[in-house]
Amino acid sequence: MAKLTFLGHASFLLEGGDGGRLIFDPFLSGNPAAAAKPGDIKVDYILVSHAHDDHLGDAYDIAARNDALIITTAEIARAAGAKGCRAHALHIGGSHRFPFGRVKAVPALHGAGIAGGHACGFVVEYGGRNIYFAGDTGLFGDMKLIGERHDLDLALLPIGDNFTMGIDDAVAAASFLQARQVIPYHYNTWPIIEADPRLFKEKVERQAGSQCIILQPGEAHVF
Ligand code: NI
Ligand code: MN
């Protein structure tokens, strides 16, 4: 069992499994959709997909408050270490088993936000579930490979367009991934990424066959 709470924009809290609590892309300070403050977050691990401000966010602050381990790509791990944080560097295609389960860094078609780096997504085993967090990404054909290599219970997909996939490309992504459930994010934080999650839900359930759960910031999904 696992409980996933949407904290707004691209940030999620994952808890309920053995081995610790995780947060993804903890952008809370300055996030108009944030459902929590950095000081409220109690976690053991922080997963960072890339170094743009709306993803790296409060990672260093939350890591310092919790003595949490940052799991991210090599260049961000090095920067985190220079800030005095504990960090574990993964890179694209590589995985590592942590006390809660395995994390694999997978490709994302997006900028790194740090010199020499790469953006990534993650496939995470947690609480007996397999979760794909896409990070920021455009649609790419190798999402089909991610779906073939991992029996996904849940896929978290950006739908806000402009910086990432929009709704129709996210529906195509869901068709490639074949996760049992999908949750949209990275929309409506600002006007530039306005999108209607109900339209995504209608299309993805009809065209990809995945059940779609729409979470408001602060809402949780148990699966
Ligand atoms: Ni980005
Ligand atoms: Mn972003």
Coordinates of all heavy atoms in Angstrom, one line a residue, residues 64-112:
A64 N 18.2 19.7 4.7 CA 18.9 20.1 5.9 C 18.0 19.9 7.2 O 18.5 19.5 8.2 CB 19.3 21.6 5.8
R65 N 16.7 20.3 7.1 CA 15.8 20.2 8.3 C 15.6 18.7 8.7 O 15.4 18.4 9.9 CB 14.4 20.7 7.9 CG 14.4 22.2 7.8 CD 13.0 22.6 7.2 NE 12.9 24.0 6.9 CZ 12.4 24.9 7.7 NH1 12.1 24.6 8.9 NH2 12.3 26.2 7.3
N66 N 15.6 17.8 7.7 CA 15.3 16.4 8.0 C 16.5 15.4 7.9 O 16.3 14.2 8.1 CB 14.2 15.9 6.9 CG 12.9 16.6 7.1 OD1 12.0 16.1 7.8 ND2 12.7 17.7 6.4
D67 N 17.6 16.0 7.6 CA 18.8 15.1 7.3 C 18.4 14.1 6.3 O 18.7 12.9 6.4 CB 19.4 14.4 8.6 CG 20.7 13.8 8.3 OD1 21.4 14.3 7.4 OD2 21.0 12.7 8.9
A68 N 17.6 14.5 5.3 CA 17.1 13.6 4.2 C 18.1 13.4 3.1 O 19.0 14.3 2.9 CB 15.8 14.2 3.7
L69 N 18.1 12.3 2.4 CA 19.0 12.0 1.3 C 18.3 12.5 0.0 O 17.2 12.1 -0.3 CB 19.2 10.5 1.3 CG 20.2 10.0 0.2 CD1 21.6 10.5 0.4 CD2 20.1 8.5 0.0
I70 N 19.1 13.3 -0.7 CA 18.6 13.8 -2.0 C 19.0 12.7 -3.1 O 20.2 12.4 -3.2 CB 19.2 15.1 -2.4 CG1 18.7 16.2 -1.4 CG2 18.8 15.6 -3.8 CD1 19.3 17.6 -1.6
I71 N 18.0 12.2 -3.8 CA 18.3 11.3 -4.9 C 18.0 12.0 -6.2 O 16.9 12.5 -6.5 CB 17.3 10.0 -4.8 CG1 17.5 9.3 -3.4 CG2 17.6 9.1 -6.0 CD1 16.5 8.3 -3.1
T72 N 19.1 12.1 -7.0 CA 19.0 13.0 -8.2 C 20.1 12.6 -9.2 O 20.9 11.7 -9.0 CB 19.0 14.4 -7.8 OG1 18.8 15.3 -9.0 CG2 20.3 14.8 -7.2
T73 N 20.2 13.4 -10.3 CA 21.3 13.1 -11.3 C 22.6 13.7 -10.8 O 22.6 14.5 -9.8 CB 20.9 13.8 -12.6 OG1 20.5 15.1 -12.3 CG2 19.8 13.1 -13.3
A74 N 23.7 13.3 -11.4 CA 25.0 13.6 -10.9 C 25.3 15.0 -10.6 O 25.9 15.4 -9.6 CB 26.1 13.0 -11.9
E75 N 25.0 15.9 -11.6 CA 25.4 17.3 -11.4 C 24.6 18.0 -10.3 O 25.2 18.8 -9.5 CB 25.1 18.1 -12.7 CG 26.1 17.7 -13.9 CD 25.9 16.3 -14.5 OE1 24.8 15.8 -14.3 OE2 26.8 15.8 -15.1
I76 N 23.4 17.6 -10.1 CA 22.6 18.2 -9.0 C 23.1 17.6 -7.7 O 23.2 18.3 -6.7 CB 21.1 18.0 -9.2 CG1 20.6 18.6 -10.5 CG2 20.3 18.5 -8.0 CD1 19.2 18.3 -10.8
A77 N 23.4 16.3 -7.7 CA 24.0 15.7 -6.5 C 25.2 16.4 -6.0 O 25.5 16.6 -4.8 CB 24.2 14.2 -6.7
R78 N 26.1 16.7 -7.0 CA 27.3 17.4 -6.7 C 27.0 18.8 -6.1 O 27.6 19.2 -5.1 CB 28.2 17.5 -7.9 CG 29.6 17.9 -7.6 CD 30.5 17.9 -8.9 NE 30.4 16.7 -9.6 CZ 30.1 16.6 -10.9 NH1 29.9 17.7 -11.6 NH2 30.0 15.5 -11.5
A79 N 26.1 19.5 -6.7 CA 25.7 20.8 -6.2 C 25.1 20.7 -4.8 O 25.3 21.6 -3.9 CB 24.7 21.5 -7.1
A80 N 24.3 19.7 -4.5 CA 23.7 19.5 -3.2 C 24.8 19.2 -2.2 O 24.7 19.7 -1.0 CB 22.7 18.3 -3.3
G81 N 25.8 18.4 -2.6 CA 26.9 18.1 -1.7 C 27.6 19.4 -1.3 O 28.0 19.5 -0.1
A82 N 27.8 20.2 -2.2 CA 28.5 21.5 -2.0 C 27.7 22.4 -1.0 O 28.3 23.3 -0.4 CB 28.7 22.2 -3.3
K83 N 26.4 22.2 -0.9 CA 25.5 22.9 0.0 C 25.5 22.2 1.4 O 24.7 22.6 2.2 CB 24.1 23.0 -0.5 CG 24.0 23.8 -1.8 CD 23.8 25.3 -1.5 CE 23.5 26.1 -2.8 NZ 23.5 27.5 -2.6
G84 N 26.2 21.1 1.5 CA 26.2 20.4 2.8 C 25.2 19.3 2.9 O 25.0 18.8 4.0
C85 N 24.5 19.0 1.8 CA 23.4 18.0 1.9 C 24.0 16.6 1.5 O 24.9 16.5 0.8 CB 22.3 18.4 0.9 SG 21.5 19.9 1.2
R86 N 23.3 15.6 2.0 CA 23.6 14.2 1.6 C 22.9 14.0 0.3 O 21.7 14.3 0.2 CB 23.2 13.2 2.7 CG 23.9 13.4 4.0 CD 23.6 12.2 4.9 NE 22.2 12.1 5.2 CZ 21.4 11.0 4.9 NH1 22.0 9.9 4.3 NH2 20.1 11.0 5.2
A87 N 23.6 13.4 -0.7 CA 23.0 13.2 -2.0 C 23.5 11.9 -2.6 O 24.6 11.5 -2.4 CB 23.3 14.3 -2.9
H88 N 22.6 11.2 -3.3 CA 22.9 10.0 -4.0 C 22.7 10.3 -5.5 O 21.6 10.6 -5.9 CB 22.0 8.8 -3.6 CG 22.3 7.5 -4.3 ND1 22.9 6.5 -3.7 CD2 22.1 7.2 -5.6 CE1 23.1 5.5 -4.5 NE2 22.6 5.9 -5.7
A89 N 23.8 10.1 -6.3 CA 23.7 10.4 -7.7 C 23.3 9.1 -8.4 O 24.0 8.1 -8.3 CB 25.1 10.9 -8.2
L90 N 22.3 9.2 -9.2 CA 21.9 8.2 -10.2 C 22.1 8.9 -11.6 O 22.2 10.1 -11.7 CB 20.4 7.9 -10.1 CG 19.9 7.1 -8.9 CD1 18.4 7.0 -9.1 CD2 20.5 5.7 -8.9
H91 N 22.2 8.0 -12.6 CA 22.0 8.7 -13.9 C 21.2 7.8 -14.9 O 20.8 6.7 -14.5 CB 23.4 9.1 -14.5 CG 23.3 10.5 -15.1 ND1 22.3 10.9 -16.0 CD2 24.0 11.6 -14.8 CE1 22.5 12.2 -16.2 NE2 23.5 12.7 -15.5
I92 N 20.8 8.4 -16.0 CA 19.8 7.8 -16.9 C 20.1 6.3 -17.1 O 21.1 6.0 -17.6 CB 19.8 8.6 -18.2 CG1 19.7 10.1 -18.1 CG2 18.7 8.0 -19.1 CD1 18.5 10.6 -17.5
G93 N 19.1 5.5 -16.9 CA 19.1 4.1 -17.1 C 19.6 3.3 -15.9 O 19.5 2.1 -15.8
G94 N 20.2 4.0 -14.9 CA 20.7 3.4 -13.7 C 19.7 3.3 -12.6 O 18.8 4.2 -12.5
S95 N 19.8 2.2 -11.8 CA 18.9 2.1 -10.7 C 19.7 1.7 -9.4 O 20.8 1.3 -9.5 CB 17.8 1.1 -10.9 OG 18.3 -0.2 -10.9
H96 N 19.1 1.9 -8.3 CA 19.7 1.6 -7.0 C 18.6 1.2 -6.0 O 17.5 1.9 -6.0 CB 20.5 2.8 -6.5 CG 21.2 2.5 -5.2 ND1 22.4 1.8 -5.2 CD2 20.9 2.8 -3.9 CE1 22.8 1.7 -3.9 NE2 21.9 2.3 -3.1
R97 N 18.9 0.2 -5.2 CA 17.9 -0.2 -4.2 C 18.2 0.6 -2.9 O 19.2 0.6 -2.3 CB 18.0 -1.7 -3.9 CG 17.0 -2.1 -2.8 CD 16.9 -3.7 -2.8 NE 16.2 -4.2 -4.0 CZ 14.9 -4.1 -4.2 NH1 14.1 -3.4 -3.4 NH2 14.4 -4.6 -5.3
F98 N 17.1 1.3 -2.4 CA 17.2 2.0 -1.2 C 16.3 1.2 -0.2 O 15.6 0.3 -0.5 CB 16.6 3.4 -1.4 CG 17.4 4.3 -2.3 CD1 17.2 4.3 -3.7 CD2 18.5 5.0 -1.8 CE1 18.0 5.0 -4.5 CE2 19.3 5.8 -2.7 CZ 19.0 5.8 -4.0
P99 N 16.3 1.6 1.1 CA 15.6 0.8 2.1 C 14.1 0.7 1.8 O 13.4 -0.3 2.1 CB 15.8 1.6 3.4 CG 17.1 2.2 3.2 CD 17.2 2.6 1.8
F100 N 13.5 1.6 1.1 CA 12.1 1.6 0.7 C 11.8 0.8 -0.6 O 10.7 0.4 -0.9 CB 11.5 3.0 0.6 CG 12.2 3.8 -0.5 CD1 11.8 3.7 -1.8 CD2 13.2 4.7 -0.1 CE1 12.5 4.5 -2.7 CE2 13.9 5.5 -1.0 CZ 13.5 5.4 -2.4
G101 N 12.8 0.7 -1.4 CA 12.7 0.0 -2.7 C 13.6 0.6 -3.8 O 14.4 1.5 -3.5
R102 N 13.5 0.2 -5.0 CA 14.4 0.6 -6.0 C 14.0 1.8 -6.7 O 12.8 2.1 -6.9 CB 14.5 -0.6 -7.1 CG 15.6 -0.4 -8.1 CD 15.9 -1.7 -8.9 NE 16.6 -2.7 -8.1 CZ 17.9 -2.7 -7.9 NH1 18.7 -1.8 -8.5 NH2 18.5 -3.7 -7.2
V103 N 14.9 2.7 -7.1 CA 14.7 3.9 -7.9 C 15.5 3.8 -9.1 O 16.7 3.5 -9.1 CB 15.0 5.2 -7.1 CG1 14.8 6.4 -8.0 CG2 14.3 5.3 -5.8
K104 N 14.9 4.0 -10.3 CA 15.6 4.0 -11.6 C 15.4 5.4 -12.2 O 14.3 5.9 -12.2 CB 15.0 3.0 -12.5 CG 15.7 2.8 -13.8 CD 15.0 1.7 -14.6 CE 15.8 1.3 -15.9 NZ 15.1 0.2 -16.6
A105 N 16.5 6.0 -12.6 CA 16.4 7.2 -13.4 C 16.1 6.9 -14.8 O 16.8 6.1 -15.4 CB 17.7 8.0 -13.2
V106 N 15.1 7.5 -15.4 CA 14.8 7.3 -16.8 C 14.8 8.6 -17.6 O 14.8 9.7 -17.0 CB 13.4 6.6 -16.9 CG1 13.4 5.2 -16.3 CG2 12.3 7.5 -16.3
P107 N 14.8 8.5 -18.9 CA 15.0 9.8 -19.7 C 13.8 10.7 -19.5 O 12.6 10.3 -19.2 CB 15.0 9.3 -21.1 CG 15.5 7.9 -21.0 CD 14.9 7.3 -19.8
A108 N 14.1 12.0 -19.6 CA 13.0 13.0 -19.8 C 13.5 14.0 -20.9 O 14.7 14.3 -20.9 CB 12.8 13.8 -18.5
L109 N 12.6 14.4 -21.7 CA 13.0 15.2 -22.8 C 12.8 16.7 -22.4 O 11.7 17.3 -22.6 CB 12.2 14.9 -24.1 CG 12.7 15.3 -25.4 CD1 14.1 14.8 -25.7 CD2 11.8 14.8 -26.5
H110 N 13.8 17.3 -21.8 CA 13.7 18.6 -21.1 C 15.1 19.1 -20.8 O 16.0 18.3 -20.8 CB 12.8 18.4 -19.9 CG 12.4 19.6 -19.2 ND1 11.3 20.4 -19.8 CD2 12.7 20.3 -18.1 CE1 11.1 21.4 -19.0 NE2 12.0 21.4 -18.0
G111 N 15.2 20.4 -20.4 CA 16.5 20.9 -20.0 C 16.8 20.5 -18.5 O 15.9 20.1 -17.8
A112 N 18.1 20.5 -18.2 CA 18.6 20.1 -16.9 C 18.5 21.2 -15.9 O 18.3 20.9 -14.7 CB 20.0 19.6 -17.0

